[in-house]
Amino acid sequence: MGVTHDGEGANFAVYSEHATQVSLCLFSPDGQQEVARLPLPERTGPIWHGYVAGLPYGTLYGYRVDGPYQPERGHRFNANKLLIDPYAREFHGRFAHASETYGFDRMDPSVDLSFDARDSAPFVPKSVISRPDLFEPALSPLAGVPASELIYEAHAKGLTMLHPDVAEHLRGTYEGLASDSVIEHLHRIGATTIELLPVQAFPDDGFLIEKGLRNYWGYNTIGFFAPEPRYFGPAGFAGFRAMVQRFHDAGIRVLMDVVYNHTAEGDQTGPTLAFRGLDNASYYRLIDGQKRYYVNDAGTGNTLNMTNPHVLRMVLDSLRFWVTQMGIDGFRFDLATTLGRESYGFDPHGGFLDALRQDPILSQVRLIAEPWDLGPGGYQLGNFPYEFSEWNDGFRDTARRFWKGDDHATQELGGKLLGSADKFDCNGRRTWASINFLTSHDGFTLADVTAYNEKHNAANLEDNRDGHSGNYSDNCGVEGATDDPVILAKRALRARNLLATMFLSQGTPMLLAGDEVGNSQGGNNNAYCQDSDIGWIDWSGDDALTAFVARLSAFRRDHATVRQSRFLHGRQREADGMPDVIWRDFAGQPLEWRDPALARFCLVKRPSAETTVNESETDVVLIAFNRADRPARVSLPPAPEGTVWTRHIDTTAPDALVAEEPDQRSAPIPAASVIALSLEPSRTET
């Protein structure tokens, strides 16, 4: 599929079930003039193909497709519209927002039932026959998953646009992403994996351009095989692969957030750029009995038809391309429920998910699902196959609610601290299946969770109607910016408490880039269109928070009990007869779980009773949570001979030295804080 160049010419192959003719259009080197239009002479089933001798690498091309224009029957062929090759690795030029790119007359009262005969070629990028040396030398994903994994979710541009230590000409580029200063920062905080917001080619939405805005996040893919060129630096395409290689050399894995649930063509009133013009009724899911309209499970206007074997093949080919040719280590699937839908609804054993799991290449990389969409039965947290991890929004909401002071939040938090067994302890899954996060690109930053009760999205020019309204945030007394030292101190402590909750929980922690430096978006919880100071990370924050994140990450790395992959259920351990987890109140007694306002508790964790390898019997950790506004003392279990309880984490004293507890019978815990202690060999100097 796509273009195959043999050194003397090129073969072109494209899928269209209902077309009557597919024509290859060749363009001048500047992309301005169509110099040839060649009907593809061969058809094998629904694959149209043909070989053109003498075409050099770098040739620019596109497709025009003839067929019925019958929107009410699902067909929207219009040969006046130039289409990109779905398999293109590179594009020349950019999409322009122009009425000529629409298959219908936007001014006609019948809207998409009308027909537009104007040529769209001047406004559409041209596909490029790529040179083979673009993909040399070969790149391979890093093997395995780090034992102490920390995912760092970042935007390819926003991470470095304001970074003072990234060379100015590299800011906002792929090369800048993997600059020395960024890698040093990731190493400092213990990040093992960087997860990039969409970097597959995407256009800017017309409605945003009309408002003077841009598609910043990129969740509107149109080119599934091509890196988004707006992030190219001096090295162009090669800069992407160089970025991956530099991260790999530093031991850091690269994940891509991928959008295969829908495309940038939108609903029936959207432009004709690729799939709509190639074969609308095949590439998209249409409403039964109303084929003029699209199934909209993704909430973005259309839904790719993953039950079509050729569409499924395209997506799998795309994923394999990013792994085998670009070295990508795994994927986070946006609105993954959509990808698992069959005609009857979501099926964890549906065609796409089964194909992915059996693939000898794709089954070996990191797979992460966003386990919901907007369609019927869309929320599927915990229901994906065992090979997947899943974004756990329940962890996010519960952690926020607990520190906000909501009743019943403690009971919910208990399960989240141990990996959300109620969702994931089935079918042989492990705790790493739960991606624990406090914030993500979609919503408030951590700083804004502690500074705003309400969203402030006026800059999006949607009258503050966009974005979530239920954020479980708490401004600590004043909405937004303040110079009140008491409120600022309360916010800083709240942020540290939330971070400690995440890092001390079982599961896979994910940190939103910028949270570790106190980055704020001014209360904007939907910065999808803010390619500006709002969406870019401000690196001028207090370094103390970064140091605290590094400390939490190091503690998690050094104490396998905290991050163990087996679920804990209080089962008795053969090694010492102790339960693998014990819940206690501060007096050392069983918790009164029925108290809706329960604000204080601690848990003692040991290696799982199911562990079959020899683990240190002293790998015992006590974690205490005090949401109350007054200090207390926590009763400590007797330490085995030769060991002492040692304090590693105290959110009220983020830079305190690691120290043995002076009183081995009980430990002080300040108000509104988290402490973490472990058993260490006695008389150890730190």
Side-chain angles (χ1 to χ4, degrees):
M1 301 299 295
V3 176
T4 304
H5 201 288
D6 61 6
E8 298 180 356
N11 189 76
F12 297 82
V14 64
Y15 164 69
S16 181
E17 193 90 35
H18 299 102
T20 57
Q21 180 60 61
V22 177
S23 297
L24 171 69
C25 303
L26 304 178
F27 286 82
S28 58
D30 62 3
Q32 297 300 307
Q33 182 178 356
E34 184 176 338
V35 297
R37 188 176 300 186
L38 309 172
L40 292 181
E42 302 289 343
R43 178 176 180 177
T44 303
I47 308 300
W48 299 77
H49 54 103
Y51 181 86
V52 182
L55 284 183
Y57 295 116
T59 296
L60 308 184
Y61 70 98
Y63 292 113
R64 299 182 189 274
V65 181
D66 289 285
Y69 189 82
Q70 300 169 340
E72 291 177 314
R73 299 182 64 180
H75 300 306
R76 296 179 180 271
F77 294 100
N78 187 335
N80 300 293
K81 309 305 170 183
L82 186 75
L83 310 175
I84 63 169
D85 182 351
Y87 276 75
R89 271 60 166 169
E90 294 179 271
F91 296 110
H92 175 89
R94 303 231 8 112
F95 289 99
H97 176 50
S99 59
E100 287 85 349
T101 62
Y102 291 76
F104 58 91
D105 183 351
R106 299 177 73 196
M107 304 304 294
D108 192 292
S110 62
V111 201
D112 63 299
L113 297 179
S114 64
F115 188 82
D116 186 281
R118 293 175 295 173
D119 183 13
S120 69
F123 311 100
V124 176
K126 311 309 181 287
S127 303
V128 181
I129 300 179
S130 299
R131 305 188 318 273
D133 60 4
L134 278 179
F135 310 103
E136 298 173 354
L139 294 179
S140 299
L142 293 180
V145 176
S148 182
E149 186 179 23
L150 171 60
I151 297 174
Y152 189 77
E153 190 198 26
H155 188 281
K157 179 178 182 179
L159 184 67
T160 62
M161 277 301 292
L162 301 177
H163 200 302
D165 297 325
V166 174
E168 190 167 353
H169 71 290
L170 295 180
R171 294 176 187 171
T173 70
Y174 296 123
E175 293 101 310
L177 265 179
S179 59
D180 290 343
S181 56
V182 173
I183 289 175
E184 290 169 5
H185 178 76
L186 296 181
H187 281 164
R188 179 188 180 191
I189 63 174
T192 61
T193 306
I194 186 167
E195 179 179 305
L196 299 177
L197 268 66
V199 290
Q200 293 169 309
F202 64 91
D204 290 308
D205 308 69
F207 79 94
L208 291 176
I209 294 174
E210 291 170 0
K211 294 191 290 186
L213 299 171
R214 300 182 70 187
N215 183 339
Y216 176 56
W217 286 350
Y219 289 89
N220 222 16
T221 306
I222 195 67
F224 293 119
F225 293 78
E228 171 50 44
R230 71 184 71 190
Y231 308 134
F232 284 163
F237 185 101
F240 186 99
R241 285 168 47 87
M243 173 264 294
V244 174
Q245 187 61 63
R246 278 187 56 82
F247 276 132
H248 283 182
D249 291 344
I252 296 170
R253 287 152 176 79
V254 182
L255 306 183
M256 284 173 49
D257 195 336
V258 288
V259 186
Y260 294 110
N261 55 77
H262 74 280
T263 78
E265 291 183 304
D267 65 11
Q268 68 276 4
T269 63
T272 297
L273 309 175
F275 311 101
R276 175 172 285 135
L278 285 168
D279 192 343
N280 184 69
S282 294
Y283 281 97
Y284 293 116
R285 290 176 57 209
L286 307 179
I287 296 177
D288 288 340
Q290 295 181 296
K291 293 189 178 298
R292 176 184 176 185
Y293 303 106
Y294 297 80
V295 172
N296 191 23
D297 290 334
T300 53
N302 66 55
T303 302
L304 269 180
N305 183 12
M306 299 294 280
T307 63
N308 181 302
H310 298 279
V311 178
L312 174 62
R313 174 186 175 181
M314 177 186 70
V315 172
L316 294 172
D317 287 348
S318 168
L319 292 167
R320 280 189 291 266
F321 164 77
W322 290 101
V323 173
T324 61
Q325 301 298 310
M326 308 297 271
I328 293 300
D329 299 283
F331 305 95
R332 180 264 191 189
F333 294 93
D334 179 64
L335 300 180
T337 297
T338 298
L339 306 180
R341 285 188 180 275
E342 300 294 320
S343 59
Y344 48 83
F346 175 77
D347 185 346
H349 302 290
F352 170 72
L353 296 178
D354 276 356
L356 192 67
R357 296 166 64 201
Q358 65 77 42
D359 190 284
I361 294 171
L362 300 178
S363 63
Q364 302 305 305
V365 302
R366 195 76 163 92
L367 304 174
I368 299 174
E370 183 183 34
W372 52 79
D373 68 11
L374 277 68
Y379 191 75
Q380 294 292 334
L381 179 65
N383 293 330
F384 278 77
Y386 75 89
E387 294 93 340
F388 280 80
S389 293
E390 303 177 35
W391 271 29
N392 189 347
D393 61 331
F395 181 94
R396 173 199 64 197
D397 294 348
T398 300
R400 292 186 188 184
R401 289 180 55 238
F402 174 79
W403 288 108
K404 184 171 173 282
D406 288 1
D407 284 351
H408 303 288
T410 302
Q411 289 77 0
E412 295 180 21
L413 183 63
K416 304 298 187 289
L417 295 173
L418 300 183
S420 299
D422 60 319
K423 294 294 185 180
F424 298 108
D425 190 7
C426 59
N427 301 322
R429 302 184 82 176
R430 297 295 186 94
T431 60
W432 51 258
S434 176
I435 301 293
N436 299 334
F437 63 102
L438 302 167
T439 60
S440 68
H441 68 276
D442 188 4
F444 281 144
T445 66
L446 182 61
D448 290 350
V449 168
T450 70
Y452 294 91
N453 287 347
E454 308 295 336
K455 61 185 179 182
H456 295 265
N457 298 353
N460 297 354
L461 304 181
E462 297 182 38
D463 298 324
N464 209 42
R465 295 192 304 269
D466 62 305
H468 299 291
S469 296
N471 297 288
Y472 304 114
S473 57
D474 178 12
N475 63 23
C476 298
V478 172
E479 185 76 358
T482 181
D483 56 5
D484 186 321
V486 175
I487 292 177
L488 291 175
K490 185 176 181 180
R491 289 176 176 177
L493 178 57
R494 179 68 58 80
R496 293 195 296 272
N497 284 333
L498 285 162
L499 287 165
T501 303
M502 180 176 75
F503 276 92
L504 297 174
S505 296
Q506 289 174 259
T508 303
M510 184 184 81
L511 184 70
L512 174 64
D515 277 356
E516 76 280 15
V517 296
N519 180 61
S520 170
Q521 293 178 170
N524 191 319
N525 74 350
N526 190 32
Y528 77 103
C529 57
Q530 294 302 323
D531 190 1
S532 65
D533 288 359
I534 294 175
W536 304 338
I537 293 175
D538 177 2
W539 289 93
S540 64
D542 187 354
D543 188 64
L545 184 58
T546 308
F548 183 65
V549 169
R551 182 172 190 159
L552 288 168
S553 186
F555 180 74
R556 181 182 180 86
R557 178 196 65 221
D558 295 341
H559 292 271
T561 294
V562 174
R563 55 179 166 79
Q564 59 188 301
S565 66
R566 294 182 183 273
F567 292 95
L568 305 181
H569 294 287
R571 298 189 179 102
Q572 188 177 38
R573 291 157 34 92
E574 288 187 11
D576 54 14
M578 298 297 294
D580 51 22
V581 62
I582 302 173
W583 298 91
R584 303 156 45 101
D585 64 17
F586 283 5
Q589 300 302 310
L591 274 180
E592 179 48 75
W593 285 106
R594 292 174 296 181
D595 179 4
L598 183 62
R600 296 174 168 179
F601 67 93
C602 67
L603 63 159
V604 181
K605 297 175 65 175
R606 292 176 168 83
S608 167
E610 298 178 357
T611 300
T612 57
V613 298
N614 289 326
E615 294 196 49
S616 171
E617 295 306 312
T618 60
D619 191 12
V620 181
V621 173
L622 182 148
I623 307 168
F625 291 79
N626 183 13
R627 192 178 67 186
D629 58 4
R630 61 190 184 280
R633 293 194 71 87
V634 180
S635 173
L636 300 178
E641 184 176 355
T643 65
V644 291
W645 285 108
T646 302
R647 183 178 299 231
H648 295 264
I649 303 295
D650 183 339
T651 56
T652 65
D655 55 356
L657 295 176
V658 176
E660 296 179 4
E661 287 296 325
D663 184 348
Q664 288 288 302
R665 295 170 300 178
S666 66
I669 179 169
S673 70
V674 181
I675 63 171
L677 288 66
S678 71
L679 284 176
E680 303 289 348
S682 58
R683 290 187 290 275
T684 297
E685 294 185 5
T686 303

